[in-house]
Amino acid sequence: MPVPLAPYPTPPVPFTPPATGAQSQLVCSGCRNLLVYPVGATSVCCAVCNAVTAVPPPGTEMAQLVCGGCHTLLMYIRGATSVQCSCCHTINLAMEANQVAHVNCGNCRMLLMYQYGARSVKCAVCNFVTSIGASASTIEQKFNS
């Protein structure tokens, strides 16, 4: 007596990107390359290392910073206070835009970023230490003019 065969399951509907062609980006969880993907995707497969990276839920605001240990671009959910690098395991302080200020280096004039409340900032280019105070008000006047 023949055994009835179960019908094949219907194949899943393939993902179709929005008609607008909207795209977003994230950092590959494997090789740390920047991946571009269509909005609405739930995961992205890296063409370089084949790692599958989950896409954060819609509406999640992301931010970026450069790791202080290995200079790798890190992406994290906005609002986090610290971010651990998956490459070198350095814990990086994540600051919002309203927690930092800018001043020009007193020696080479490079624009420097520092945390509010700091009394000085050391330039990574020429190693000059710029005192915060009079120079910060000069910068604010430049930006407000």
Side-chain angles (χ1 to χ4, degrees):
M1 177 158 188
V3 178
L5 299 174
Y8 287 107
T10 56
V13 178
F15 173 77
T16 52
T20 60
Q23 295 181 329
S24 193
Q25 52 188 344
L26 57 74
V27 175
C28 173
S29 61
C31 65
R32 312 304 296 164
N33 279 321
L34 191 61
L35 304 175
V36 177
Y37 64 93
V39 171
T42 56
S43 61
V44 184
C45 181
C46 178
V48 175
C49 71
N50 291 323
V52 176
T53 304
V55 173
T60 304
E61 285 191 55
M62 301 300 286
Q64 299 176 344
L65 63 80
V66 176
C67 175
C70 66
H71 305 291
T72 299
L73 178 66
L74 304 176
M75 290 188 80
Y76 62 96
I77 296 173
R78 188 174 301 283
T81 55
S82 61
V83 180
Q84 185 172 15
C85 179
S86 60
C87 297
C88 70
H89 306 290
T90 298
I91 297 177
N92 297 273
L93 185 62
M95 291 187 268
E96 294 294 324
N98 63 355
Q99 295 176 307
V100 296
H102 299 89
V103 66
N104 283 340
C105 172
N107 183 45
C108 71
R109 309 301 299 157
M110 173 68 70
L111 185 63
L112 306 173
M113 184 171 65
Y114 65 94
Q115 184 176 3
Y116 274 128
R119 290 181 275 187
S120 62
V121 60
K122 184 177 180 179
C123 179
V125 174
C126 70
N127 293 320
F128 185 82
V129 177
T130 303
S131 295
I132 305 302
S135 38
S137 60
T138 305
I139 285 296
E140 288 173 15
Q141 287 173 1
K142 281 186 181 178
F143 284 126
N144 294 330
S145 299

